[in-house]
């Protein structure tokens, strides 16, 4: 459907002027728009000798020029336009078919083989919309200016895509947009070749993608590459080319147009980067850095109203960022998503165990399981609403409604079954109302959400024990299908397991006791009466890990350790991990 819609739009942009009678040229009158004959071979008769000659040429008659019948170029431009108006149905359908094939190739690649973020519908619509805007700009330049067609800045789009996503996608986008732009001049071979080379070169020369100012440099180098290709192709077609004579033509110079078109693409890419990337659903690095500021109002709100959840989010951010960096995903976006994903807990913070004071009674003790589940699941919906109301970019909001996926709130579902399920509820009643992670970044956060909670139950904090726990968490998510749409490969999961285990080992590293702590322990030991069979007073006391402490004997004591956050997390995951 996207291919059909945008193929029709590209066809309309390219041919709309042929249906407007007032834009048709007439001999003896001024040209209402710039008239162009694409570059190609033609046979001309010499006015003096009468000989026929075969030459390659292009014709540009500027808008406002009085068309004279005696002028060969005016007469040729008038004849060319006359054959196009109105366009024959077969020709129009053929142009539409070409546009449709180009769009279908692009969208099929994005859906099947593209980076995980370009598979999203909003990214594809934004990308195709930017293509349409670029083609409309090119059409306007061709109709309203007498500049050579090589000035059209089509390389801006590949630069945006390379900055927001990846270079492979940028290459394919350049191929598509070059074909569509060339169709405005009946697929002019020289124009198509220059646009292709310029787009690919701009993507390759965009070395430092973290700094948008490099776009101008990349565009300039791409323009030089396009000029070299133009000169080489002209020599192939015509057998010669006078570079200096072309340059001295000033604004009519094709070589300068090739270079200037690349520079213009770089400048436009830099100037319009923010709105272009927002259209494609990407968040700029500068915006993400702003969102990490702990003075951001929503973060201050969470720190004040749900402090336990905020500290959990900060701990998750470190783990998630390390995992995302290890597999080459957007580490900064993952950190920001971790900060904001649980913002919905500020609505009813006491329903989550990490926000309860020591010894404070949990409100779930007096609620039915289904009511508790509703309260837990509400933080996904409310968090999404709060973030959107706060004008947080959608890629960050996505972490809020995907970090639990479509999992079941196992703790309260089991509690419901233990009570005999008096209302006859099904498992679906206890399922989160979100969606499965659609990107590697959101999938990493889902894994870290469980791993960070379960890591507190591991003792001693050894690499092997952490790896076993992480593997169990990952297997639980895989078996429930939560990672099916994330794009994570088995290699990614292996790297994530190793990196997070190493991070956790370093996080829970040991420390030597201070002298006052040893003295205090010694004094306590001396006060302890010696009992037959007990160890000597100077024996170092055994330190128990949280996993070795006794579990609550009943649900009246609040959520179990498997429900480390009290938010309906999969009990199977945390309990098996510990």
């Amino acid at each position: 459907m996207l291919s059909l819609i945008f193929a029709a739009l590209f066809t309309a942009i390219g041919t709309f002027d042929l249906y407007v009678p007032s834009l048709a040229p007439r001999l003896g009158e001024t040209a209402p728009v710039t008239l162009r004959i694409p570059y190609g071979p033609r046979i001309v008769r010499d006015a003096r000798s009468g000989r026929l000659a075969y030459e390659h040429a292009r014709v540009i008659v500027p808008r406002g020029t009085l068309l004279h019948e005696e002028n060969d170029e005016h007469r040729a431009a008038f004849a060319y336009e006359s054959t196009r108006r109105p366009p024959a149905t077969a020709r129009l359908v053929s142009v539409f078919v070409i546009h449709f094939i180009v769009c279908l190739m692009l969208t099929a690649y994005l859906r099947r083989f593209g980076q995980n973020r370009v598979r999203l519908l909003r990214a594809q619509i934004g990308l195709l919309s930017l293509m349409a805007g670029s083609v409309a700009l090119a059409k306007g330049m061709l109709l309203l200016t007498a500049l050579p067609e090589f000035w059209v800045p089509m390389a801006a789009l590949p630069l945006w895509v390379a900055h927001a996503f990846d270079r492979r996608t940028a290459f394919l986008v350049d191929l598509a947009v070059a074909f569509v732009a060339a169709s405005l001049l009946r697929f002019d071979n020289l124009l198509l070749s220059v646009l292709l080379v310029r787009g690919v070169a701009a993507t390759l020369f965009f070395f430092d993608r973290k700094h948008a100012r490099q776009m101008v440099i990349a565009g300039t180098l791409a323009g030089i590459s396009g000029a070299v290709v133009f000169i080489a192709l002209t020599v192939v077609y015509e057998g010669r080319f006078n570079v200096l004579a072309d340059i001295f033509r000033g604004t009519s110079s094709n070589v300068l147009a090739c270079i200037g078109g690349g520079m213009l693409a770089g400048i436009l890419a830099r100037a319009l980067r923010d709105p272009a990337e927002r259209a494609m659903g990407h968040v700029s690095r500068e915006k993400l850095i702003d969102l990490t500021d702990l003075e951001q109002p929503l973060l201050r709100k969470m720190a004040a109203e749900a402090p336990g959840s905020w500290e959990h989010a900060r701990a998750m951010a470190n783990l998630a960022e390390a995992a995302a960096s290890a597999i080459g995903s957007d580490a900064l976006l993952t950190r920001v998503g971790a900060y904001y994903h649980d913002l919905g807990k500020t609505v009813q913070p006491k329903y989550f165990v990490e926000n309860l004071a020591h010894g404070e009674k949990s409100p779930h003790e007096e609620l039915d399981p289904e009511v508790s589940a509703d309260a837990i699941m509400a933080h996904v919906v409310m968090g999404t609403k709060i973030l959107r109301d706060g004008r947080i970019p959608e890629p960050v909001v996505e972490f809020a409604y995907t970090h639990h996926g479509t999992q079941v709130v196992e703790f309260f579902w089991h509690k419901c079954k233990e009570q005999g399920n008096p209302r006859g509820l099904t498992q679906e009643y206890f399922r989160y109302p979100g969606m499965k992670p659609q990107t590697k970044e959101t999938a990493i956060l889902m894994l870290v959400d469980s791993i960070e909670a379960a890591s507190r139950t591991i003792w001693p904090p050894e690499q092997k024990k952490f790896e076993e726990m992480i593997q169990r968490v990952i297997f639980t998510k895989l078996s429930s299908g939560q990672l099916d749409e994330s794009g994570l490969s088995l290699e990614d999961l292996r790297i994530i397991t190793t990196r997070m285990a190493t991070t956790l080992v370093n996080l829970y590293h040991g420390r030597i006791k201070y002298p006052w702590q040893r003295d205090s322990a010694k004094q306590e030991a001396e006060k302890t009466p010696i009992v037959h069979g007990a160890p000597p007073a100077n024996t170092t006391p055994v330190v128990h890990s949280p996993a070795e402490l006794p579990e609550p004997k009943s649900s009246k004591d609040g959520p179990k350790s498997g429900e480390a956050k009290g938010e309906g997390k999969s009990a199977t995951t945390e309990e098996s991990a510990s």
Side-chain angles (χ1 to χ4, degrees):
M1 289 303 298
L2 280 178
S3 301
L4 286 172
I5 292 171
F6 280 93
L9 180 58
F10 294 149
T11 304
I13 293 173
T15 60
F16 79 92
D17 57 307
L18 303 180
Y19 291 94
V20 182
S22 60
L23 298 182
R26 295 178 179 83
L27 292 175
E29 300 180 8
T30 58
V33 293
T34 299
L35 307 179
R36 298 174 185 267
I37 298 180
Y39 178 83
R42 63 176 181 171
I43 298 176
V44 297
R45 183 185 298 276
D46 187 87
R48 295 181 180 179
S49 63
R51 293 181 180 179
L52 296 177
Y54 180 83
E55 66 177 19
H56 287 77
R58 64 170 49 81
V59 173
I60 299 178
V61 180
R63 181 169 63 100
T65 302
L66 182 62
L67 301 178
H68 295 285
E69 188 173 358
E70 298 79 12
N71 188 300
D72 289 341
E73 290 191 348
H74 293 184
R75 191 167 59 250
F78 173 75
Y80 175 74
E81 290 294 328
S82 298
T83 61
R84 301 171 66 216
R85 297 172 181 272
T89 302
R91 180 172 293 176
L92 193 66
V93 171
S94 298
V95 171
F96 170 78
V97 169
I98 293 173
H99 288 160
F100 175 69
I101 292 173
V102 170
C103 292
L104 193 61
M105 290 171 57
L106 177 60
T107 54
Y109 171 83
L110 297 178
R111 298 288 284 185
R112 293 175 180 269
F113 310 110
Q115 189 207 54
N116 48 12
R117 282 180 291 159
V118 299
R119 297 179 185 178
L120 302 178
L121 183 61
R122 67 168 180 268
Q124 295 178 30
I125 293 176
L127 180 55
L128 289 169
S129 299
L130 290 174
M131 279 185 61
S134 301
V135 173
L137 174 62
K139 182 69 173 180
M141 292 181 65
L142 295 177
L143 290 179
L144 303 178
T145 73
L147 295 173
E149 57 270 22
F150 304 106
W151 275 97
V152 294
M154 307 309 292
L157 186 57
L159 283 173
W160 288 329
V161 175
H163 187 263
F165 302 116
D166 64 293
R167 287 189 172 91
R168 286 187 301 174
T169 304
F171 290 148
L172 191 67
V173 168
D174 173 57
L175 177 66
V177 77
F179 264 95
V180 176
S183 71
L184 302 178
L185 286 178
R186 286 198 176 180
F187 299 99
D188 185 325
N189 286 336
L190 272 181
L191 177 61
L192 176 60
S193 301
V194 169
L195 292 180
L196 283 174
V197 170
R198 214 158 56 184
V200 171
T203 305
L204 290 176
F205 286 127
F206 190 22
F207 299 117
D208 188 0
R209 293 188 297 161
K210 290 185 178 180
H211 298 92
R213 60 178 177 273
Q214 296 293 324
M215 289 180 172
V216 180
I217 299 175
T220 302
L221 295 175
I224 296 173
S225 302
V228 172
V229 169
F230 170 79
I231 294 171
L233 285 175
T234 303
V235 172
V236 170
Y237 285 140
E238 301 181 17
R240 64 188 186 281
F241 184 78
N242 191 329
V243 177
L244 292 178
D246 182 86
I247 292 176
F248 286 143
R249 292 169 58 194
T251 56
S252 299
S253 169
N254 292 310
V255 172
L256 294 180
C258 290
I259 299 174
M263 294 178 63
L264 181 59
I267 294 171
L268 285 177
R270 175 66 183 91
L272 302 178
R273 177 179 60 91
D274 287 343
E277 292 184 351
R278 281 199 299 270
M280 292 185 290
H282 179 73
V283 190
S284 68
R285 186 173 181 82
E286 292 82 359
K287 180 62 175 178
L288 289 175
I289 292 175
D290 288 341
L291 291 174
T292 60
D293 186 354
L294 300 186
E295 293 301 314
Q296 211 278 346
L298 290 179
L299 295 185
R300 286 194 298 171
K301 172 185 174 68
M302 187 173 183
E305 300 178 11
S309 299
W310 169 234
E311 293 304 324
H312 168 67
R314 293 178 66 183
M316 284 179 58
N318 294 327
L319 282 174
E321 184 179 39
S325 177
I327 65 171
S329 294
D330 194 331
L332 183 57
L333 175 62
T334 309
R335 169 173 282 277
V336 174
Y339 280 165
Y340 290 85
H341 79 285
D342 265 346
L343 201 64
K345 291 183 178 180
T346 59
V347 178
Q348 293 178 315
K350 295 301 182 180
Y351 280 96
F352 304 92
V353 68
E354 67 267 26
N355 297 313
L356 294 175
H358 180 69
E360 185 175 1
K361 183 179 179 182
S362 171
H364 292 291
E365 296 180 13
E366 301 176 357
L367 297 177
D368 292 331
E370 60 271 21
V371 178
S372 293
D374 282 341
I376 295 299
M377 293 186 292
H379 87 277
V380 171
V381 179
M382 295 306 299
T384 302
K385 182 179 186 302
I386 292 171
L387 291 172
R388 285 177 175 162
D389 290 344
R391 299 184 180 277
I392 300 299
E394 189 62 26
V396 179
V397 179
E398 189 176 346
F399 286 88
Y401 58 80
T402 60
H403 72 281
H404 285 300
T406 58
Q407 299 175 107
V408 174
V409 188
E410 294 283 355
F411 182 84
F412 292 111
W413 168 236
H414 286 300
K415 183 178 178 181
C416 178
K417 291 191 294 184
E418 288 174 358
Q419 294 179 356
N421 193 5
R423 296 180 57 188
L425 301 175
T426 64
Q427 192 180 51
E428 295 302 312
Y429 194 88
F430 293 83
R431 192 176 298 279
Y432 276 100
M435 62 185 297
K436 296 178 181 179
Q438 303 294 302
T439 65
K440 291 184 179 182
E441 291 81 6
T442 53
I444 287 173
L445 190 75
M446 169 184 277
L447 294 174
V448 170
D449 202 7
S450 298
I451 290 168
E452 197 279 329
S455 67
R456 301 173 184 271
T457 67
I458 301 300
W459 187 266
E462 298 174 349
Q463 178 91 11
K464 183 174 178 59
K465 290 183 176 293
F466 281 127
E467 286 183 354
E468 291 176 353
M469 177 270 292
I470 294 170
Q471 289 168 356
R472 292 185 182 223
V473 171
I474 291 176
F475 180 77
T476 301
K477 305 301 182 187
L478 284 171
S479 62
S480 62
Q482 296 302 311
L483 305 181
D484 290 353
E485 302 170 19
S486 67
L488 286 174
S489 64
L490 291 177
E491 181 185 11
D492 292 333
L493 294 174
R494 177 183 59 79
I495 295 172
I496 287 172
T497 300
T498 303
R499 174 58 67 89
M500 281 202 285
T502 303
T503 304
L504 288 170
V505 168
N506 295 329
L507 179 65
Y508 293 112
H509 61 272
R511 288 283 188 176
I512 298 175
K513 289 185 177 182
Y514 288 94
W516 63 267
Q517 291 176 309
R518 293 197 298 267
D519 293 342
S520 178
K522 184 177 181 180
Q523 292 175 4
E524 290 295 328
E526 290 175 350
K527 294 178 182 180
T528 304
I530 299 178
V531 181
H532 180 69
N538 58 354
T539 301
T540 303
V542 178
V543 180
H544 292 277
S545 75
E548 297 170 328
L549 299 178
E551 292 286 325
K553 295 183 179 180
S554 67
S555 60
K556 293 182 180 181
D557 296 325
K560 298 179 181 178
S561 63
E563 188 63 18
K565 292 171 57 182
E567 57 176 27
K569 212 177 262 297
S570 172
T572 305
T573 300
E574 275 76 30
E575 289 171 2
S576 63
S578 61

